[in-house]
Amino acid sequence: MTSRIGALSLISSLSLLACSGTHRVPATTAEAPPAPRGGQYGHYAPKSAPEPTTATAEESGMARGAAADEMPAPPTAAAPAPEARPGLGTSWGESLDSRITSTTFTRANGDTPFATAAFLYNDEEGVSAQTHDGFLDWNDAAVQVHSGITVSLTDPNGRPLRGMRDGARTYALGHDGDRYVIHVDNHTRARLEAVATVDGLDVMDGDDGSYEKRGYVIAPYDSLDIEGFRDSQGSVRAFRFGATDDSYASRRGKGRNVGVVGVALFRERGSSFGVSEDEVQRRESADPFPNRFAPAPPNGCCVR
């Protein structure tokens, strides 16, 4: 049985356990969170950048001591508005209930993930342009990053978005106004930590994504749904496809990486997945007919 459970670590050995919907799982809090930084909870992302202001002609001219009889400078032509970027970005959506508590998690390999997944998302015209109009088969927007571990982009009902593979890249098809979810299935016996980014921004604090950030913890044989940017201990702001220039990243002046979702996975120190990946691959590549021709008999050649 799966539930939407996960966790975030506030320091090197602290994480937060999240649950959304009606699922509730008790978690042990190792210790109280550190003092908040800049707000009630600290790591939350600002909603949008402030609107710029302009000075009036009087403020910029006469107020600087210009003579009353001095002719005002001719008005300069207004700069043309920049052309809107095409395609989709991820906007700051509505508030969704998603509560978190703390738990301990020590990474096995520091800030080096054992697996990563990335999705390039856009509308149909954008995906066609990015794949150079390649005739690729549409499938699910899902990536198996390790034996028993799958990362996908889904709708709120758990159905994977349409996607396609082009070499090493995975594309996901979005539609303006639709909501999506980052989904991770963990069918292994090890706990995992998942650090996720949207448009290059960490889903926990809204700042630039990094492997050094801490994320959600997924229990063995469980799954995780990340539904939005976290804005408090009890809620997130939904991921919704929208215009690129109206995306959360663009409105914060960080629009360079709009159009990509990333997930980095970390294994817990002292844990194992059971059978090694090398053994799994060796088993899966076993050949039922390794010799296509009959070998010569031992100690001799032919019967005369």
Side-chain angles (χ1 to χ4, degrees):
M1 177 177 181
T2 62
S3 60
R4 299 174 179 177
I5 309 289
L8 156 76
S9 179
L10 299 178
I11 58 176
S12 62
S13 64
L14 283 184
S15 300
L16 291 181
L17 185 64
C19 49
S20 56
T22 59
H23 301 286
R24 293 291 182 271
V25 175
T28 302
T29 302
E31 61 182 67
R37 296 182 297 139
Q40 184 179 1
Y41 296 104
H43 292 285
Y44 311 141
K47 297 182 180 179
S48 62
E51 295 294 331
T53 58
T54 56
T56 64
E58 290 183 351
E59 291 171 340
S60 59
M62 296 300 183
R64 290 198 301 265
D69 57 351
E70 182 179 348
M71 292 292 292
T76 58
E83 184 177 353
R85 287 182 62 186
L88 297 177
T90 298
S91 61
W92 178 269
E94 69 275 20
S95 180
L96 302 174
D97 180 66
S98 176
R99 302 194 177 278
I100 53 177
T101 56
S102 62
T103 187
T104 58
F105 187 97
T106 302
R107 294 175 177 177
N109 297 306
D111 295 331
T112 301
F114 75 88
T116 60
F119 300 88
L120 299 171
Y121 71 84
N122 212 332
D123 55 23
E124 193 160 3
E125 182 180 5
V127 171
S128 177
Q130 289 174 256
T131 58
H132 306 289
D133 297 312
F135 294 96
L136 305 175
D137 292 332
W138 287 100
N139 208 320
D140 292 342
V143 177
Q144 184 173 4
V145 298
H146 190 278
S147 179
I149 304 172
T150 303
V151 180
S152 57
L153 299 186
T154 74
D155 66 17
N157 296 316
R159 293 185 295 262
L161 304 184
R162 290 180 68 197
M164 64 169 58
R165 296 274 298 180
D166 183 12
R169 295 184 176 89
T170 301
Y171 294 88
L173 179 63
H175 298 280
D176 192 7
D178 284 358
R179 186 160 74 88
Y180 71 91
V181 177
I182 303 171
H183 181 80
V184 184
D185 277 316
N186 176 23
H187 295 296
T188 75
R189 67 183 189 182
R191 288 205 310 172
L192 305 176
E193 181 182 5
V195 176
T197 65
V198 170
D199 296 344
L201 302 182
D202 185 84
V203 300
M204 286 292 182
D205 62 15
D207 288 330
D208 292 344
S210 167
Y211 292 152
E212 297 177 0
K213 300 289 180 72
R214 302 309 298 258
Y216 292 100
V217 169
I218 314 171
Y221 307 105
D222 209 341
S223 64
L224 165 71
D225 280 337
I226 305 175
E227 299 180 284
F229 292 105
R230 181 155 297 280
D231 67 338
S232 77
Q233 284 187 309
S235 63
V236 297
R237 302 306 290 252
F239 299 138
R240 281 199 180 273
F241 293 120
T244 299
D245 289 341
D246 196 40
S247 67
Y248 176 58
S250 293
R251 293 183 61 169
R252 295 195 57 216
K254 296 175 176 286
R256 169 61 184 85
N257 295 304
V258 167
V260 64
V261 173
V263 177
L265 296 171
F266 300 85
R267 185 172 60 84
E268 188 172 20
R269 181 182 296 173
S271 68
S272 72
F273 297 126
V275 179
S276 69
E277 184 69 12
D278 289 342
E279 177 62 20
V280 170
Q281 293 179 355
R282 187 174 183 180
R283 291 273 180 168
E284 291 180 346
S285 62
D287 190 346
F289 301 99
N291 194 343
R292 303 297 190 268
F293 303 99
N299 302 323
C301 175
C302 309
V303 177
R304 299 183 186 275

